[in-house]
Structure formats: C-alpha cells, structure tokens
Amino acid sequence: MGNLEAIHQLKHLLPALPYPLASLEPHIDARTMMLHHDKHHASYVKKLNSSVEKYPELHERSAIWLLLNPGEIPEEERTAVCANAGGHVNHSMFWRAMSPDGFGEPAGALADAIKRDFGGLESFKTRFDEAGAKVFGSGWVWLARAQQDGGKLTVLTTSGHDNPLSQGHFPLLVNDVWEHAYYLKHENRRADYLKGWWSVVNWKEAARRFEISDLSPERRWETEGGLILRESR
Ligand SMILES: [Fe+2]
C-alpha cells in the first residue's frame, strides 16, 4: 500500500486553449500562440508543480490560494511558488479573455458599469491601452472591479505575474503585455498589439466575470478555484 499523502497530492494542469492556435489571426499569430501556451504557460505549470512537491501542506492548495497566501509558503520557495502560481492563474484567465468569435461590444450590466465608471467604451479602451503601453518591462493590464468602494471598475497594471486579487480587486478582463505575447509579430510596437487585441476580446467572458464578482467571497472563491484545473496523482 502506497503512502496516503501521495494519493492526495494534486497536480496543477495546463488548461487546453479554448480555440485553435490560428484562430486569433491576424491579430495574434499561430506561432506566438503556440509558444505562449505550449512553452511559456506550460513551463509555469511545470515549475509550480515542482516547487510545491516537497511541501505536503501545499499539495491540495489551488494556484489562486497559493498566490493569495504567500505567508503560508516556506520562505525558501516563496518567490518561485508565487511567480509560477501567478503565471498559471493569469495565463488561464488570459486565454479565456479572448475568442475568435469576437462578441463585438460589452452588453448588459457590464456595459452599464463601463459607462458609469469610464464615461463610455471608447474612453475605457483608451485608458486601458495607455496603461498597457506604460507597463515597464513584463506585466499585465487589467479591467478589475473593486471588492469594496461600491464595486467601482478600474484599470490596473501589475508587474511580473502579480494579480489584482492580491490588491483587493476582482479581475474581469486581462491582456498580457510581456514581450513573449506580441514580439514575433509586432516587435517593439506594443501599442499596435494593444489596439488590435480589441478585435479578439471575449466580452461574454468579461460579463460572466462581472456577474460572479457579485457573489459572496466564499462562492466566488469556489468558482475561481474550479477554473484552474488540477488532477490527482
Ligand atoms: Fe504570457
């Protein structure tokens, strides 16, 4: 009979892309998508699994829990676990933030909130593009909803693989502005990448996330944790 601890160890998994590699062309080319998902994201998942391996107390923790509880991670692996958990969580959100089907513009409650907090869709997009262009080095640009302050929408940027959840904001939409997301096609022209990206934004997913941002913290936690795939090993 094997060690029961080992049976309960959960492995973080690379989620499959929800669409074919070439389906976001011409805005994001298939080779960039292949390298980004199959190599970069895969490597964060692999490193996350290996960095928690020797800590049984972390084996059943979701990537989001690890990202939000750095104090619970042994100091010698804290930087690696947080960076790789963040890379895994952020990329998992990023793939779903896009779709070849477009979905045009936001609708319903999300559209109303964008109008209320930014004055309209175009001023929101301008704010998002300007913030994304200004990220120094590697990072992310987000549409997020404050978890207090009446649930106001805001544009945020994070560096490395930090996530707005750590700053009390719930992410609704995200774009990756690490060079690996755009350099093959756009080289140093990050602004072109940001502009073209709106054609592949999945507004349905952003609206879904807006809806779950209203759930109680416990329910929302379950919804988030369930989206980051794991399996027993
Ligand atoms: Fe990335």
Side-chain angles (χ1 to χ4, degrees), residues 36 91 140 176 178 180:
H36 200 172
H91 283 93
W140 301 78
D176 186 342
W178 283 56
H180 67 219

Side-chain angles (χ1 to χ4, degrees), residues 36-37 40-41 44 87 90-91 94-95 139-140 161 176-181 193:
H36 200 172
H37 178 268
H40 290 282
H41 187 174
Y44 300 129
N90 291 2
H91 283 93
F94 175 59
W95 308 130
W140 301 78
H161 284 321
D176 186 342
V177 294
W178 283 56
E179 284 187 345
H180 67 219
Y193 160 71

